[in-house]
Amino acid sequence: MKDELFTMTPDLPGMSPEMVARWQEELRRNALRMKHFSEMIMNPKEPEIGPTPREELYRKNKSRLYRYESKRTVKTPLLFVPNLGISRPYIFDLMRKGSFIEHMTERGFDFFLVDWGVFGPEDNDLTFEYAATKILPRMARKALEASGAKEISVLGYCMGAPLSLSWLGSAPEFPLKNYVDMAGPVDFSKIGLFGLWLDPRFFDADKYVDTLGAIPADMVKMGFKLLKPTMDVSTNLNLWWNLWNPDYVAGFNALNKWANEYLPFPGEFFRQWVKEFYQQNKLIKGQLRMDGRPVRLESIRCPVLAVGAKEDNIAPPDCVRPLVHAVSSSDTEYVELPGGHISLIAGRGASVHCWPKVASWLEARS
Amino acid sequence: MADQTGAQQLFDLWKKQVEEGTRAWLKMAGQGQSPDPQAFWRPFMDQGMQAWSKVMTQGQPSPDLMAQWKQFLDQWIAAWSKVLEQAMGTENFAQAMGKQLEGFLNQAGPAKKAAEQHIEATLAGLGVPSRSQVVGIAKHIIALEEKIDAVDDRIDTMLKRLEELTAAVRKDRA
């Protein structure tokens, strides 16, 4: 009955049949909008996230190393290092046909993911240095052992890039095959609004950590929301506009779950992260020391790919690009792709621009 | 014709609102220079006007109006986003935010400490382990795990060395 209502073409005076058909389509979409809206309110469904099969390979405190199922046709395994704190890593395996990890495993990569986990008050003494020089190398070693390979490629996303670079820059003996920096800041003098807000003239990191101990998830959320205050308005407007489309609604539900799940920072980690990276910019200046060893980006000699996102306001392209000039590699490439910090790696645009680029670049060198 | 005049009045009113809104935001953000609201609203204002005139002269109502309205709102949000970004990218804003945060920490610090002391005393009175005691135990477990990992690493190193030595001995015998 409902279908008939939308398919019959009544003869309306003064209106062409084409216009009538377009109005019918608009009415159909509005009916679907109402239907999906009421479903979202009255009967919200928990989105299915992380669809790619995986096994836990190793755990250390809250952190886990996962290995994803794949045909493993690419010789060199890939270790993915995301950000610590802020958000959960299931954004990289959000949903079927909308997952970076699924894309990479389908292309035959032996894919390992570091999930830093959710830290509690007992982890407030955990430093950036400890994560970079104690947890990460151990995870990489376990990944190498499991894969049976002699070398491994590392992909750092967002804060995962400075974290992995701080380790690799102080461990030139590590068998690194390729390095990919995806929206990871390297030169913090060009980091944009966060750099200004965290400037030592306006932000006292010591007082912040000494008072609060850890950085609560709500504070992290506030900082990111402030970075783009109109984000919620445009998200909801786009939802309303696309609410008739069940695929869009499914994607929105999964992404919305992730976008509202903020994680706290361990206090000492935050202190070191803000002071040595945002405020003193030690990584690119070559002044950083980790575990008693200097961090030298020039000691990285393997092929390096840096990927910046044109609309990124968390790690703007200008602070990602300098990596390719700081390393000693003869094979370096910088690409700037459409999208923001998240849409670079998650969503429809990412599946068209970023995933194929990263996969092809690595395949050619693995 | 009457419709087009009505639309013009509507847009005049809206234009005035945008200008006043922009001035207020930039003033709040403490930008010293006099703002030029036209610089940000003109591009999408022109597009909106064109779309509106097209719809009005079509002669019959079209569902395109919805798409144009959505486009118009997108541009509106993008323009506001740009203005806010400019306002928040000033040292005055960063300074104001820093002061506000410091004020919060000055209040939150003593209040948090007092609350923790009160809860500790209450729990101690009830004979229930306090949060800090539970956190202390968790820290011990983490430290223990670290020591086990260190032992694991040493065993791995020794096993590798042993394998190398065995291989070397076999090679010598051969």
Side-chain angles (χ1 to χ4, degrees):
Chain A
M1 183 65 192
K2 204 162 69 179
D3 287 347
E4 280 174 22
L5 180 72
F6 293 121
T7 50
M8 61 187 185
T9 47
D11 222 6
L12 294 175
M15 198 176 273
S16 66
E18 187 203 337
M19 192 62 79
V20 172
R22 282 168 64 191
W23 269 113
Q24 279 176 332
E25 173 60 16
E26 192 56 41
L27 284 171
R28 188 184 72 83
R29 287 187 176 187
N30 276 329
L32 285 170
R33 280 187 184 112
M34 293 308 292
K35 179 176 173 270
H36 293 150
F37 180 71
S38 60
E39 276 171 5
M40 280 176 91
I41 301 294
M42 308 294 284
N43 187 23
K45 281 181 194 157
E46 188 64 21
E48 194 189 323
I49 49 170
T52 312
R54 66 182 185 178
E55 61 167 324
E56 185 187 304
L57 211 65
Y58 174 69
R59 61 166 67 187
K60 183 168 173 61
N61 189 7
K62 310 293 187 307
S63 307
R64 306 280 181 272
L65 176 69
Y66 291 107
R67 186 187 201 181
Y68 286 82
E69 230 170 61
S70 100
K71 287 177 189 162
R72 292 166 193 160
T73 48
V74 178
K75 196 179 149 197
T76 310
L78 177 63
L79 179 70
F80 187 99
V81 185
N83 45 295
L84 184 151
I86 308 172
S87 59
R88 302 295 302 269
Y90 63 77
I91 182 74
F92 311 113
D93 189 27
L94 195 63
M95 53 194 295
R96 217 166 283 285
K97 299 293 159 206
S99 151
F100 173 64
I101 292 175
E102 183 186 52
H103 180 87
M104 297 301 277
T105 51
E106 278 179 358
R107 301 262 305 236
F109 283 91
D110 192 2
F111 196 100
F112 295 87
L113 169 80
V114 176
D115 180 350
W116 293 104
V118 184
F119 292 102
E122 67 277 15
D123 302 301
N124 278 348
D125 297 334
L126 186 141
T127 59
F128 186 98
E129 187 173 348
Y130 185 85
T133 62
K134 300 290 179 206
I135 303 178
L136 257 188
R138 202 183 294 267
M139 297 275 187
R141 222 166 40 238
K142 297 285 174 189
L144 266 173
E145 279 170 21
S147 68
K150 289 204 168 82
E151 293 175 304
I152 193 166
S153 298
V154 174
L155 195 163
Y157 171 75
C158 180
M159 184 207 285
L163 261 168
S164 51
L165 288 168
S166 299
W167 154 51
L168 294 165
S170 63
E173 70 283 357
F174 183 79
L176 179 65
K177 180 76 173 170
N178 302 292
Y179 186 81
V180 181
D181 172 351
M182 210 187 267
V186 174
D187 183 353
F188 285 75
S189 67
K190 295 162 184 165
I191 194 113
L193 284 182
F194 270 153
L196 176 68
W197 298 347
L198 295 173
D199 188 292
R201 288 173 297 161
F202 315 124
F203 184 83
D204 187 347
D206 288 329
K207 187 170 184 175
Y208 200 76
V209 174
D210 293 341
T211 308
L212 298 177
I215 310 309
D218 282 343
M219 285 272 189
V220 177
K221 183 178 180 175
M222 201 176 73
F224 279 90
K225 293 270 180 193
L226 199 58
L227 202 58
K228 194 95 181 166
T230 54
M231 179 64 94
D232 284 346
V233 182
S234 61
T235 303
N236 287 316
L237 179 66
N238 286 328
L239 172 65
W240 167 77
W241 185 247
N242 294 290
L243 202 53
W244 61 273
N245 181 349
D247 290 340
Y248 184 92
V249 175
F252 173 86
N253 282 336
L255 195 64
N256 197 44
K257 176 186 163 68
W258 173 83
N260 286 297
E261 207 177 344
Y262 284 87
L263 300 183
F265 269 118
E268 291 306 321
F269 183 96
F270 183 78
R271 193 197 303 266
Q272 194 176 10
W273 172 234
V274 169
K275 288 177 85 170
E276 297 198 10
F277 290 83
Y278 278 91
Q279 295 185 342
Q280 295 161 12
N281 198 16
K282 283 184 172 179
L283 179 62
I284 195 77
K285 287 181 183 169
Q287 296 169 352
L288 195 64
R289 288 186 77 83
M290 290 277 150
D291 205 22
R293 299 170 85 173
V295 177
R296 302 211 185 285
L297 292 176
E298 65 268 25
S299 71
I300 295 172
R301 296 174 196 283
C302 67
V304 171
L305 170 68
V307 186
K310 282 193 174 83
E311 311 293 325
D312 196 339
N313 56 357
I314 295 168
D318 283 350
C319 72
V320 179
R321 195 183 300 111
L323 177 65
V324 292
H325 305 298
V327 294
S328 305
S329 323
S330 54
D331 178 5
T332 59
E333 187 180 345
Y334 172 76
V335 282
E336 210 163 291
L337 300 175
H341 194 69
I342 306 303
S343 56
L344 176 73
I345 196 161
R348 207 174 305 141
S351 67
V352 176
H353 303 290
C354 183
W355 306 346
K357 171 68 197 171
V358 172
S360 305
W361 189 89
L362 278 169
E363 270 168 0
R365 292 161 179 82
S366 298
Chain B
M1 189 67 195
D3 277 352
Q4 281 179 348
T5 313
Q8 187 59 51
Q9 283 172 351
L10 182 73
F11 272 98
D12 284 345
L13 191 71
W14 177 78
K15 179 182 148 187
K16 200 178 162 194
Q17 185 203 344
V18 170
E19 283 177 358
E20 284 172 1
T22 314
R23 283 204 191 96
W25 265 105
L26 291 174
K27 201 175 171 186
M28 269 173 67
Q31 278 198 342
Q33 63 202 27
S34 177
D36 176 16
Q38 295 208 15
F40 93 90
W41 67 257
R42 178 59 69 191
F44 69 95
M45 179 75 190
D46 286 347
Q47 281 185 29
M49 281 297 280
Q50 277 172 15
W52 191 261
S53 327
K54 200 179 157 192
V55 169
M56 288 299 172
T57 51
Q58 266 176 348
Q60 50 182 241
S62 158
D64 287 348
L65 185 66
M66 300 282 283
Q68 279 154 3
W69 183 243
K70 163 75 169 59
Q71 197 184 8
F72 180 74
L73 286 176
D74 283 342
Q75 287 164 348
W76 166 278
I77 292 166
W80 272 112
S81 181
K82 205 171 172 184
V83 170
L84 290 172
E85 198 181 312
Q86 280 172 4
M88 292 188 305
T90 59
E91 289 202 349
N92 285 339
F93 182 87
Q95 196 173 27
M97 198 163 74
K99 273 184 185 165
Q100 200 162 2
L101 196 63
E102 203 177 326
F104 163 74
L105 293 176
N106 286 338
Q107 287 184 336
K112 188 171 172 267
K113 205 173 174 183
E116 278 170 0
Q117 280 172 349
H118 178 70
I119 292 168
E120 289 267 324
T122 310
L123 291 174
L126 292 168
V128 178
S130 68
R131 179 186 155 96
S132 62
Q133 285 171 320
V134 175
V135 167
I137 292 168
K139 279 184 177 176
H140 279 302
I141 294 169
I142 293 166
L144 200 64
E145 193 188 45
E146 180 58 31
K147 280 184 181 166
I148 293 168
D149 276 338
V151 172
D152 194 34
D153 281 351
R154 279 185 196 170
I155 292 171
D156 275 352
T157 313
M158 283 193 291
L159 283 174
K160 268 182 198 159
R161 186 77 191 120
L162 200 65
E163 274 173 24
E164 283 167 10
L165 284 171
T166 314
V169 168
R170 274 187 192 149
K171 202 177 168 186
D172 279 352
R173 280 182 186 168

